[in-house]
Amino acid sequence: MSVLLAIFLQVGISPTPSPVSAVPDELYEQRQLTRQAKREAEKQTAIDNPLTDCITLAETDPEAARTMASQWLDTAELSRKSWAAQCLGMALVQQGRWDDAAAAFINGRDAAMPGAQLYRAQLGAMAGNAAMSAANASAALAALDIAQTDAGQAGNSVLAGEIMLDRARALVALDRLEDAATALALARQAQPDHAQTWLLSATLSRRMNLLETAQEQIERAAMLAPMDAKTGVEAGVIAILSGRPDA
């Protein structure tokens, strides 16, 4: 979820470019979060609702989905406004309207049914990702702080770990490196076998000139994802800065 952190952290030697996905990382992340949130919404009620159709439409005709979601927001009962806002946010993401998408996801979070902490956390994470894509790290951090609390109350350590990674992205963008390191430490506790968490931790430690720590973290990342090219590049950068060009 936190590919942008590596971009923010990268300094010094430029890595070899890796193949570029046809789907932007931010859009892929939003789709993943949207699908998770959709499943959670479907669990909240047995009453049929147009959320699935609206999200499917957003992926193929975002303008039509935006119109559908806006009309739905105007007429929906309070318990369904969060779903309409979620779909509106997804349509806006597809259109690259990141600030508006973040606002829609926050509106959806605030309209969620009482006790739906997991759904709130997912919508908050989506808002944070959209705000980061809009280069608004302060707004992203505000949304992600609330999302992390909601994920913790929902008892979902996996989502909490992902949100911690996103918080680290925002903190790095705000040049709060010590706070970012703390966020990554919490993410490692939540997801000790998550290779990207260790990779991003190593990258940040390297940037902070904590090369021994960076070496330990990149070794863990390599153990968890031995074929990952970005891990190999970071291991090489750390080795050169540590005076071990042969490694």
Side-chain angles (χ1 to χ4, degrees):
M1 179 185 293
S2 304
V3 173
L4 289 185
L5 181 58
I7 297 173
F8 281 119
L9 295 175
Q10 187 62 51
V11 295
I13 298 171
S14 297
T16 302
S18 57
V20 177
S21 169
V23 179
D25 291 324
E26 299 92 339
L27 184 55
Y28 176 79
E29 291 162 6
Q30 290 290 167
R31 286 177 177 173
Q32 293 297 98
L33 284 165
T34 296
R35 286 166 184 157
Q36 293 175 12
K38 179 182 69 175
R39 289 192 292 269
E40 179 63 20
E42 289 170 345
K43 293 178 183 177
Q44 293 182 47
T45 181
I47 302 174
D48 185 35
N49 71 79
L51 178 58
T52 300
D53 291 340
C54 190
I55 290 179
T56 300
L57 181 62
E59 296 184 354
T60 58
D61 190 344
E63 182 58 26
R66 188 186 67 80
T67 299
M68 175 183 177
S70 297
Q71 294 173 346
W72 187 13
L73 269 172
D74 290 339
T75 60
E77 297 176 2
L78 182 61
S79 62
R80 295 190 178 194
K81 285 189 180 295
S82 60
W83 300 330
Q86 177 191 338
C87 185
L88 176 60
M90 188 60 194
L92 292 166
V93 163
Q94 294 283 0
Q95 295 179 323
R97 296 170 57 179
W98 300 108
D99 283 320
D100 292 338
F105 290 135
I106 288 174
N107 288 338
R109 177 201 68 193
D110 293 344
M113 296 172 63
Q117 302 308 121
L118 178 57
Y119 189 41
R120 280 177 48 88
Q122 290 165 334
L123 291 174
M126 292 160 71
N129 274 273
M132 282 297 293
S133 296
N136 192 340
S138 294
L141 186 60
L144 293 166
D145 283 345
I146 296 173
Q148 184 174 328
T149 298
D150 286 333
Q153 291 177 351
N156 192 312
S157 61
V158 173
L159 180 58
E162 295 288 350
I163 292 170
M164 290 168 197
L165 285 182
D166 285 336
R167 289 189 70 255
R169 287 171 50 200
L171 289 163
V172 169
L174 294 169
D175 201 31
R176 293 170 54 183
L177 301 190
E178 293 288 349
D179 291 334
T182 299
L184 286 170
L186 292 172
R188 292 194 301 273
Q189 293 177 13
Q191 299 188 91
D193 295 327
H194 193 269
Q196 188 185 44
T197 302
W198 289 95
L199 168 60
L200 300 180
S201 297
T203 306
L204 180 57
S205 294
R206 184 258 297 167
R207 178 171 174 178
M208 297 173 71
N209 203 34
L210 303 172
L211 296 180
E212 290 186 8
T213 299
Q215 181 63 36
E216 294 173 358
Q217 291 168 339
I218 201 64
E219 288 177 2
R220 181 65 180 272
M223 180 183 70
L224 293 169
M227 302 302 292
D228 182 67
K230 292 180 181 179
T231 298
V233 169
E234 183 60 41
V237 173
I238 292 169
I240 291 173
L241 294 177
S242 301
R244 298 180 294 111
D246 292 344

